[in-house]
Amino acid sequence: MPYSRDRDQFPSSMPTPQSQARRKHPITPGASDLDPYTKAVVVHVTGGGRASLSYIPTDNDDAQTVTVEVADGWVSDTSVRRVSALSVVGSGTASVWGLYN
């Protein structure tokens, strides 16, 4: 079923950094910037493990990579322009998703 404006409670809401994301898409880590940059990223980890995520916030220089160890459901507190790497720490699998307005 396609999008229905009649069912949307907020069809004309103004997107802000604090507003809920409207779209979510998988991200493949790599050396290129995302197009478009994300509002935030969320990491999903299955199998009880944790993940190590390396990313560059939107306004950081290329050399200012942030690396964090995260659990399932972790959401970044910044917009993201590049996801450099994602790896599992322990067991399980991990995926990273971009959140967009």
Side-chain angles (χ1 to χ4, degrees):
M1 175 182 297
Y3 169 81
S4 172
R5 187 174 178 85
D6 295 335
R7 293 180 177 200
D8 191 344
Q9 294 182 40
F10 309 101
S12 60
S13 64
M14 183 73 137
T16 68
Q18 295 80 20
S19 64
Q20 185 179 36
R22 307 268 304 174
R23 296 179 292 129
K24 180 178 179 180
H25 296 285
I27 293 175
T28 301
S32 300
D33 284 353
L34 302 169
D35 184 18
Y37 299 158
T38 68
K39 178 177 195 154
V41 295
V42 61
V43 176
H44 295 293
V45 183
T46 61
R50 296 177 63 80
S52 176
L53 176 72
S54 295
Y55 67 96
I56 301 175
T58 302
D59 288 340
N60 280 26
D61 292 330
D62 283 353
Q64 294 176 307
T65 300
V66 175
T67 301
V68 291
E69 188 173 311
V70 301
D72 182 47
W74 178 85
V75 179
S76 66
D77 57 1
T78 62
S79 61
V80 173
R81 70 177 174 97
R82 183 182 306 161
V83 175
S84 306
L86 176 69
S87 59
V88 174
V89 178
S91 62
T93 61
S95 59
V96 61
W97 296 73
L99 303 178
Y100 303 89
N101 278 330

